[in-house]
Amino acid sequence: MDKQDRLAALQAENARLTALLDAHGIEWRLPSESPLPACRPQSTRLSANEKVELFRRLFRGRTDVYPVRWESKSSGKSGYTPACANEWRPGVCEKPRIKCSDCGNRLLIPLSDKVIYAHLSGDHTVGVYPLMEDDTCYLLVVDFDEADWRDDAIAFAQSCSELDVPIALEISRSGNGAHAWLFFDGKVSARDARRLGSAIISFACSRTRQMKLGSYDRMFPNQDTLPKGGFGNLIALPLQKGPREQGWSVFVNSELRPYPDQWGYLASVSPMPRQDIEPTIFRATGGAHPLDVTFIGDEDLATPWRRTDAAMQIAGPMPESLTVTAGQYGLFRKGSTPAATG
């Protein structure tokens, strides 16, 4: 690293630390300046273009396509669909007779600064497809729902803190859930990102004994590999003006209280170095080999007895009998089963 690179790195770190102080309302001053007022808003130093740039740098996913939210005034139903330049165009769009995925006239709109600006200003609500075409991702999101989402989101955040995993906790746009955002400093395989998420969830469960899987909904990306002909699961982007004005879709501290300056907080967020993923999985699983970490998937929760992967198979001859204690879990002595090989 030459002198200019070192200077740029120091300046970037100084800006990050300054933003962190501002986001938490901590008074500070440079030697040549007069004292700054407490809670000086970082947003006053960011232009609209800089906010959009910061937003896109953190919330990265596919840029060739993005999902936009729709809502039916007649039925009240809502959902997301890939933004299409030909949507409802007479003579071209044949919805609802033909599904968008089967339409030969679909013209996907790429994600742009203008689209993000419109989202933040409340003109529409968009999301992001985090799973890239090469089965990688730049971020991981853990979604919490149901009645205990507050306690479980806090427990998850505390576990991340113990593991030195930087996350940004967001109240979902409905106000009835939370998203834990984890940003990486570059592309990582979706499988590794999801292994990390599963390891942290397991660590939180064993650490607190209070985190229920019922409040953990899913992770984004929700797949290891891109589905054929699809884009993978989407996640709604935060800070849309409508819910934001109600105190939702905003980032919060460990007590679930919104940061007074959302942009100052985002400017202080540090991405996780890619090389820290495997060591973190190792620590979270108590020394288990990272390749042994399996996923907590929707199908696993509903029908775990149907799993047939190699990790569920026991090598060697089975004993003639096995004593099992039935309770909330099935318990048996490991000594009465054959040792696994391989």
Side-chain angles (χ1 to χ4, degrees):
M1 181 182 293
D2 58 27
K3 187 178 296 184
Q4 287 187 338
D5 289 338
R6 288 198 298 271
L7 178 61
L10 289 173
Q11 289 173 334
E13 177 65 8
N14 184 62
R16 187 187 72 82
L17 294 174
T18 297
L20 186 61
L21 292 171
D22 285 336
H24 290 276
I26 300 175
E27 185 176 353
W28 62 275
R29 65 172 129 176
L30 296 176
S32 59
E33 293 184 347
S34 58
L36 294 174
C39 298
R40 176 180 177 180
Q42 173 74 6
S43 56
T44 60
R45 299 207 302 255
L46 289 179
S47 66
N49 288 339
E50 289 171 331
K51 290 179 181 178
V52 170
E53 181 183 359
L54 170 61
F55 193 89
R56 297 195 67 180
R57 187 166 67 246
L58 289 175
F59 303 97
R60 297 180 68 180
R62 290 188 61 162
T63 57
D64 60 325
V65 58
Y66 68 90
V68 61
R69 189 173 186 270
W70 57 266
E71 185 172 347
S72 173
K73 294 182 179 179
S74 59
S75 66
K77 294 181 179 180
S78 62
Y80 288 82
T81 186
C84 175
N86 286 332
E87 186 177 24
W88 302 119
R89 184 178 174 184
V92 178
C93 178
E94 298 187 56
K95 288 199 312 182
R97 188 177 68 85
I98 297 180
K99 295 181 179 180
C100 292
S101 57
D102 298 328
C103 180
N105 296 323
R106 186 164 71 169
L107 183 59
L108 298 174
I109 304 174
L111 186 65
S112 65
D113 290 355
K114 183 177 180 180
V115 170
I116 295 298
Y117 182 86
H119 166 83
L120 296 172
S121 59
D123 293 344
H124 59 202
T125 300
V126 302
V128 65
Y129 294 110
L131 185 55
M132 308 296 286
E133 292 181 282
D134 59 355
D135 300 331
T136 62
C137 60
Y138 289 96
L139 55 84
L140 177 74
V141 186
V142 180
D143 185 22
F144 298 94
D145 242 322
E146 304 300 332
D148 296 329
W149 67 266
R150 292 175 179 83
D151 292 338
D152 292 348
I154 291 174
F156 182 85
Q158 291 172 342
S159 295
C160 287
S161 179
E162 288 189 20
L163 294 169
D164 294 324
V165 176
I167 64 164
L169 200 59
E170 174 217 358
I171 301 298
S172 61
R173 60 173 284 115
S174 68
N176 294 317
H179 299 146
W181 296 79
L182 201 170
F183 308 103
F184 301 108
D185 65 356
K187 276 187 178 184
V188 303
S189 75
R191 174 174 172 78
D192 287 345
R194 286 166 36 77
R195 286 172 53 237
L196 174 64
S198 291
I200 298 174
I201 290 171
S202 297
F203 178 83
C205 289
S206 62
R207 171 189 171 276
T208 65
R209 300 295 181 185
Q210 68 176 359
M211 187 175 178
K212 299 178 181 178
L213 291 180
S215 70
Y216 159 68
D217 186 19
R218 66 183 67 189
M219 286 184 287
F220 302 89
N222 199 227
Q223 302 90 3
D224 292 348
T225 58
L226 194 66
K228 185 176 181 180
F231 306 113
N233 288 67
L234 67 95
I235 178 71
L237 287 172
L239 296 181
Q240 205 271 356
K241 184 178 180 181
R244 189 179 73 230
E245 290 180 339
Q246 301 180 62
W248 304 337
S249 197
V250 295
F251 291 92
V252 296
N253 61 18
S254 58
E255 298 177 346
L256 302 185
R257 295 177 180 175
Y259 289 101
D261 177 16
Q262 293 287 301
W263 292 104
Y265 170 71
L266 287 180
S268 71
V269 171
S270 297
M272 181 178 187
R274 286 163 288 181
Q275 65 268 22
D276 288 352
I277 292 178
E278 295 297 345
T280 301
I281 293 175
F282 195 82
R283 294 199 310 274
T285 56
H289 193 281
L291 293 180
D292 293 336
V293 176
T294 55
F295 301 118
I296 305 173
D298 296 338
E299 184 177 350
D300 295 335
L301 292 175
T303 56
W305 54 86
R306 293 182 181 174
R307 287 184 58 185
T308 58
D309 54 85
M312 298 288 290
Q313 298 175 7
I314 300 177
M318 292 295 295
E320 294 182 0
S321 63
L322 185 66
T323 300
V324 178
T325 301
Q328 185 177 3
Y329 303 97
L331 305 176
F332 60 87
R333 293 183 180 277
K334 294 196 318 184
S336 62
T337 60
T341 59

